[in-house]
Amino acid sequence: MLKLFSKTTVCAVTLLAASLAQAQTSSTLEKIKQSGAITIGARDMSVPFSYKVNGNADPIGMINDICLKVAEAAQKAAGLPKLEIKYLITTPTSRIPLIQNNTVDLDCTPVTNTIARQEQVSFSPSYFSANVTLAVRKDSPVKGIADLQNRNVATVTGTTSIQLLRAYKKAQGVKFNEVYGKDPSEAFVMFESGKADAFVLDDVQLASFIATSPQRDQYVILNEPLRTEPYGVMLRKDDPAFKKLVDDTVYAMIKSGEMEALYQKWFMTTIPPRNVNINFPLSDSTKALYANPNDKGI
């Protein structure tokens, strides 16, 4: 059994400063071999993909489980007797730069694989498919996207969801105000506190926030998707050896049924810290990804 040693979340400023002084002269596998460590980009509140049960704990979640399998494969490929796991909490705006500047080796946060992002980073085969839509209060007059006229919408800078909503705004002439959170959890607090009439994000992340909210019975997710989006693990571009290792690991998890088992674990059973069941069944679009794994962007 290979030994993976986890380390508490490292300081973003320290890592960023160190990475700026280090040119990317070797592959990710060589970097891992030389350092004896791998750095995983994570979130602290993206239930059930990547989150912490308390401030001092390492992140857990479905994507984290996937990335730990990749780390185990990397440890074996590098011939290391043990591998240190370092975590760095990223945001939608910081995650790509932190991969590009050699700080983060794998970004294991919920992120959409887009053709535009593929110009900057590479993606693993997709492990999940989500619909971008809105969450509103059940007693809200907002019953569809067209009802957002002159209302406040909680958004997150750097996400595809706000880009899609802006495109709708331009095409349909619906005028609304954007209130920004630095990450999805902060945006949900704005929505939950009444500062926003709606919250635009992927349906599964909306379901996760709602399931863990004390006011969960007060919210509903609109059945009006702006787009269906595939999620993938991000890694550095132009690193074929590491890309192959990541791809082979994810393909194997999908083909063996391990990926679907992870899905059932995180979406269809009670999970910490509040022992809630998100109860988000496997969608037809995600089933299609498992039947024909690929890393195509949208």
Side-chain angles (χ1 to χ4, degrees), residues 128-150:
F128 189 88
S129 180
N131 289 317
V132 178
T133 187
L134 296 167
V136 298
R137 293 168 187 79
K138 288 183 178 179
D139 60 358
S140 171
V142 179
K143 306 302 180 185
I145 300 174
D147 298 327
L148 291 176
Q149 185 72 24
N150 298 324

Side-chain angles (χ1 to χ4, degrees), residues 124-233:
S124 73
S126 299
Y127 59 84
F128 189 88
S129 180
N131 289 317
V132 178
T133 187
L134 296 167
V136 298
R137 293 168 187 79
K138 288 183 178 179
D139 60 358
S140 171
V142 179
K143 306 302 180 185
I145 300 174
D147 298 327
L148 291 176
Q149 185 72 24
N150 298 324
R151 298 187 182 276
N152 294 332
V153 181
T155 68
V156 183
T157 302
T159 61
T160 56
S161 55
I162 185 55
Q163 296 170 18
L164 292 169
L165 195 58
R166 286 171 181 165
Y168 180 97
K169 176 181 181 179
K170 182 177 181 180
Q172 303 299 324
V174 177
K175 297 181 180 179
F176 54 83
N177 304 311
E178 299 171 15
V179 291
Y180 297 97
K182 70 177 186 300
D183 55 33
S185 58
E186 185 174 277
F188 184 75
V189 170
M190 292 178 176
F191 169 60
E192 198 172 32
S193 66
K195 293 181 180 178
D197 302 288
F199 180 21
V200 61
L201 199 65
D202 301 350
D203 55 356
V204 63
Q205 295 188 64
L206 293 174
S208 299
F209 281 118
I210 291 171
T212 55
S213 170
Q215 306 172 47
R216 55 184 171 271
D217 293 335
Q218 299 181 23
Y219 307 119
V220 65
I221 298 173
L222 299 183
N223 185 24
E224 189 178 355
L226 289 162
R227 186 169 69 179
T228 299
E229 301 189 335
Y231 286 3
V233 174

Side-chain angles (χ1 to χ4, degrees), residues 5 27 29 57 115 180 191 242 256 276 282:
F5 289 82
S27 70
L29 279 175
I115 294 172
Y180 297 97
F191 169 60
F242 193 57
S256 68
V276 296
L282 198 66

